Amino acid sequence: DEGLVLLDTRAASERILFEAMMRQIAEGNAPSQRLLIPALVDIPSREHAWVVDHLEDLRVAGFFLEPFGGTTLKIEALPAWAAQKEPGRLLHEVTAMLRAAGRLPHGRDVHEAVARSVSRLAASKDFPGDEIRAGKLLDELLGCDLPYASPSGRPTMIQFSFAELDRKFGRGG
């Protein structure tokens, strides 16, 4: 009734996934998807050292990994939200995002950082213009604790009042 609201469906999906994942991590039961065939991934030694130091934190977030000799890891399961991703690439992207943040977190911070990166990587890029799906997404988003921003701080929606739209179209008085 007050104007026009534009929804960024990807940012909204990220927020919804992030909050769901954080709830599940807090409860100690983030869903995982076991891989049919475990993936062996060789990663750089600095990244490997961080992953090995945080195996339990990553397990709580849905990654089931174990050292497999040298700098190789065996990935047995991934967070359910990201199960369709290539395992080695997902693990590398998650650790790269954590490193890009300028610090390697510990404890609850690592859970939040992993949830943030997984939600970003898992959020759908393609969102069909289906009105029913959009309504469901909006309902889920408005049920979030922080519905107006993605986990990285981007707005999920932007509102333009009718007065502002009138001014932009040269109709203001």
Side-chain angles (χ1 to χ4, degrees):
D1 291 339
E2 298 172 19
L4 172 71
V5 176
L6 298 177
L7 178 69
D8 180 338
T9 57
R10 181 171 170 107
S13 295
E14 286 178 37
R15 170 52 63 186
I16 293 163
L17 291 173
F18 173 76
E19 288 196 15
M21 195 168 187
M22 287 304 293
R23 276 191 304 279
Q24 291 162 343
I25 288 172
E27 295 166 1
N29 65 351
S32 291
Q33 177 67 49
R34 289 232 173 251
L35 302 177
L36 199 53
I37 300 170
L40 296 178
V41 178
D42 192 42
I43 60 176
S45 58
R46 287 181 69 194
E47 197 171 301
H48 182 271
W50 183 86
V51 169
V52 169
D53 286 347
H54 292 86
L55 285 174
E56 183 57 24
D57 293 320
L58 290 165
R59 187 201 60 74
V60 169
F63 286 92
F64 283 77
L65 316 160
E66 63 181 60
F68 199 75
T71 59
T72 302
L73 295 166
K74 180 168 74 168
I75 303 174
E76 295 181 2
L78 295 173
W81 306 109
Q84 74 279 9
K85 302 289 184 185
E86 193 278 313
R89 183 167 177 231
L90 176 66
L91 180 62
H92 174 72
E93 287 176 355
V94 167
T95 56
M97 288 173 75
L98 295 172
R99 288 185 171 287
R103 64 185 170 91
L104 297 177
H106 293 278
R108 176 165 164 70
D109 289 343
V110 77
H111 298 157
E112 188 172 322
V114 169
R116 180 177 285 120
S117 57
V118 169
S119 66
R120 181 179 156 261
L121 296 169
S124 175
K125 291 181 182 172
D126 301 321
F127 189 84
D130 180 323
E131 199 171 316
I132 293 170
R133 280 194 62 205
K136 287 180 182 178
L137 181 74
L138 186 57
D139 288 343
E140 285 183 59
L141 179 63
L142 294 176
C144 289
D145 293 332
L146 256 170
Y148 300 107
S150 74
S152 59
R154 288 188 336 274
T156 57
M157 59 183 93
I158 300 171
Q159 180 177 353
F160 297 95
S161 69
F162 285 129
E164 183 178 1
L165 291 170
D166 283 344
R167 276 193 310 277
K168 290 188 180 287
F169 284 107
R171 296 186 202 159

